[in-house]
Amino acid sequence: MYTLEELKAYVDHCQRCQLYKTRTNPVFGQGDPHADIMFIGEGPGYHEDLQGEVFVGASGQLLTKALEGVGLSRDAVYIANIIKCRAPNNRDPKPDEMETCIEFLRWQVKLIHPKIIVCLGRVAAMNVIDKNIRITRERGNWQNKNGFWMMATYHPSAVLRDPAKKRPFWEDFKSIAAKHEELCQINKGACSDE
Ligand code: URA
């Protein structure tokens, strides 16, 4: 069993796929290593690649705002991506890049062992929840898979592009906070903020 630090150190020098050639920094993920809630995005964008930090650009600001809006702090959750290195020009990650990199995410999930996993957008949801998922139809639905409560919502960058997605996105965040509260009630004393 690795530690998160060991995994990060490996990812910092990873050359398992071609993306290392064009990345500035790998983006491992950040947050509370004992978080109850884990968010999974697609992969680093321009700002994340430059800073080596997860969700720090415009979509990251929206994610932070949505979390704070429902009483959750960014520091209390864990945020990671399907791929750890930026795909040039924000193209979609290629199947072989995702297949190679998702091993790190699996380790992160195993080590953090959150109660709730939220997939931000189609790429994350297809890799983690169901390869045939249709976000527009299935966002906001909870399912328990392998002992984790999982839900997909829109990617914050999709919400920034389309104001009609704002309300459902907000509703999904309220549902995440409510599910967290419910799980903490059922399992008193077992939540990471207690
Ligand atoms: N979009 C993502 O999917 N992940 C990030 O870290 C930033 C933007």
Side-chain angles (χ1 to χ4, degrees):
M1 193 83 168
Y2 299 106
T3 64
L4 277 178
E5 291 73 23
E6 284 166 346
L7 274 182
K8 182 178 182 308
Y10 184 91
V11 168
D12 279 344
H13 301 282
C14 182
Q15 299 190 356
R16 284 191 180 182
C17 80
Q18 59 185 342
L19 293 179
Y20 81 91
K21 294 178 187 160
T22 47
R23 76 180 176 219
T24 313
N25 293 294
V27 178
F28 180 68
Q30 273 157 319
D32 182 350
H34 306 291
D36 294 328
I37 311 175
M38 184 162 175
F39 287 84
I40 300 175
E42 176 177 325
Y46 174 81
H47 295 281
E48 292 77 18
D49 173 68
L50 281 185
Q51 297 181 38
E53 294 186 11
V54 77
F55 274 101
V56 285
S59 54
Q61 283 167 23
L62 178 59
L63 175 60
T64 305
K65 213 166 120 186
L67 285 168
E68 287 173 354
V70 297
L72 294 166
S73 111
R74 234 184 112 117
D75 295 339
V77 303
Y78 195 92
I79 310 172
N81 285 308
I82 299 290
I83 58 165
K84 309 303 192 209
C85 296
R86 185 180 185 227
N89 305 316
N90 286 341
R91 67 158 168 75
D92 279 355
K94 294 182 181 167
D96 66 302
E97 294 161 353
M98 294 190 281
E99 218 168 281
T100 306
C101 207
I102 205 162
E103 189 189 338
F104 301 119
L105 182 67
R106 290 205 185 99
W107 275 107
Q108 285 171 301
V109 170
K110 206 175 278 186
L111 288 162
I112 294 159
H113 203 80
K115 296 177 169 52
I116 293 171
I117 295 177
V118 180
C119 292
L120 299 168
R122 184 181 57 90
V123 168
M126 284 172 62
N127 277 283
V128 174
I129 300 179
D130 172 4
K131 67 178 181 350
N132 297 313
I133 197 164
R134 304 279 297 272
I135 289 284
T136 313
R137 227 172 26 209
E138 296 174 56
R139 52 140 280 277
N141 294 346
W142 287 104
Q143 57 176 285
N144 196 302
K145 204 176 153 189
N146 305 328
F148 302 100
W149 283 101
M150 296 194 186
M151 176 226 264
T153 187
Y154 292 123
H155 193 287
S157 68
V159 180
L160 290 172
R161 281 195 304 270
D162 177 6
K165 294 190 165 70
K166 259 191 195 159
R167 178 172 281 276
F169 185 68
W170 172 240
E171 293 300 328
D172 291 345
F173 272 74
K174 287 199 280 189
S175 175
I176 295 162
K179 175 62 85 181
H180 182 232
E181 190 56 39
E182 176 195 322
L183 295 176
C184 293
Q185 288 300 328
I186 293 171
N187 207 350
K188 267 201 174 310
C191 282
S192 66
D193 55 350
E194 288 170 358

